[in-house]
Amino acid sequence: MIIREIIDADYDGLMRLYTQFKGEKMPDKSAAKAVWEHILSDPNHHVIVAEENGTLVSTCVCIIVPNLTHYQEPYALIENVVTDAAYRNKGCATACLQYAKTLAVNAGCYKMMLLTGSKAPETLRFYENAGYNCHDKTGFIQWLE
């Protein structure tokens, strides 16, 4: 398994993974081109993938956020953690999250945060085993759609 950041040629493989994320539909690359190019060019936006035999099997996003508080140390946000159903429980997402943690440490981040919509005990245990906790802060979300 190879853990790395996305490249332009990964679009279709990444979108295939995202279709397993709450049944999202795969957008046409031309429709998403501006967003895709922005992601690829943003040095603080990291899309991390696990690749197995040329196929993307897991991913997560790590955003490094510049910060004026906490001694001007940045923090990291983790989003869109997805693993292909055939590759779950094989350490793929854990490896992606570890890569994200290394990026955050190297960027001088003082914390990493993620939200999950899952209430499944196995998913919550997965995040706890990856070093996250649900006790230090309270998360709130306001949907804008």
Side-chain angles (χ1 to χ4, degrees), residues 9-19 26 49 55-57:
D10 291 330
Y11 180 83
D12 289 336
L14 183 65
M15 292 302 106
R16 184 190 57 75
L17 275 174
Y18 284 168
T19 63
M26 187 166 162
V49 294
T55 300
L56 301 186
V57 299

Side-chain angles (χ1 to χ4, degrees), residues 104-141:
V105 168
N106 289 344
C109 294
Y110 75 98
K111 69 179 176 182
M112 296 176 68
M113 298 182 291
L114 69 79
L115 296 173
T116 180
S118 177
K119 305 291 186 225
E122 62 273 13
T123 301
L124 302 179
R125 271 193 306 277
F126 165 74
Y127 289 124
E128 287 175 345
N129 290 337
Y132 296 86
N133 76 72
C134 60
H135 308 291
D136 292 348
K137 299 252 181 179
T138 301
F140 290 89
I141 190 164

Side-chain angles (χ1 to χ4, degrees), residues 20-39:
Q20 295 187 43
F21 187 62
K22 297 186 177 182
E24 293 211 6
K25 301 225 185 289
M26 187 166 162
D28 178 68
K29 188 174 182 180
S30 62
K33 185 176 183 187
V35 174
W36 179 244
E37 289 175 354
H38 179 80
I39 289 169

